[in-house]
Amino acid sequence: MTAVAHEPTTPAEGLLDIFLSLDTPEGFRAELIEGEIVVTPPPDGDHEDYIGLIVSQVIRRSRSDMQFSGNKGLKLKSGGSCPKDHVIPDGTFAPAALRLYRGADSWMPCDGVAMVLEVTSSKPRIDREAKRRCYARGGIPLYLLVDREASSVTLFGEPEKDDYRQHCTLPFGKSLTLPEPFAFDLETSDFI
């Protein structure tokens, strides 16, 4: 049997094909965000420390049994004529009973994801703006942003169209209330 190459019929399909065929260096992440291919270098130790502090609290303190992934990419609705956004959050939390992370595909739909986590790194504007819009379009209920430049943590909630209708920003050192299914106060004093 001879394989027939897929010829993209639209520029968006062509961009998606290019993106999906990328071979990024080890540790780098390639994402397709609002029609732009974004490649980010491996994170530094402080970046990973923030993620570890949050994951530890979520696993120990959440009212619901939660699973975490720092590797699964999400396929999200895109705005306009762009192909679907393909975003790799720094962390994804979902109720353990759903077992969302099963399967061989490295890209999964966002249905059932309770919260995504981003810690700002070399391109903080993308985390603050573009990814926020992507997650809202995907209907992800909560987006937790640790902004290292601003020394703050922001919880976005109530997604509607291209943004979240609610957000709460607190400086490092203050406790941030995470609603159901988490239902606990996230301590940020160790972020200082």
Side-chain angles (χ1 to χ4, degrees), residues 30 63 65 69 76 81 83-84 86 91-92 107 113 121 123 150 168:
R63 183 166 293 162
D65 188 18
S69 175
L76 304 157
S81 61
K84 276 191 173 184
H86 285 64
T92 304
W107 298 99
V113 170
S121 54
K123 299 176 182 174
C168 176

Side-chain angles (χ1 to χ4, degrees), residues 31 74 76 85 87-91 110 116-118 127 130-143 159 161 164:
E31 301 170 286
L74 298 175
L76 304 157
D85 291 313
V87 180
I88 305 171
D90 289 329
C110 55
V116 290
L117 164 66
E118 293 288 355
D127 294 327
K131 284 189 172 185
R132 186 186 77 230
R133 290 188 298 270
C134 289
Y135 298 142
R137 278 192 298 271
I140 296 174
L142 299 170
Y143 172 32
K161 297 181 183 172
Y164 286 90

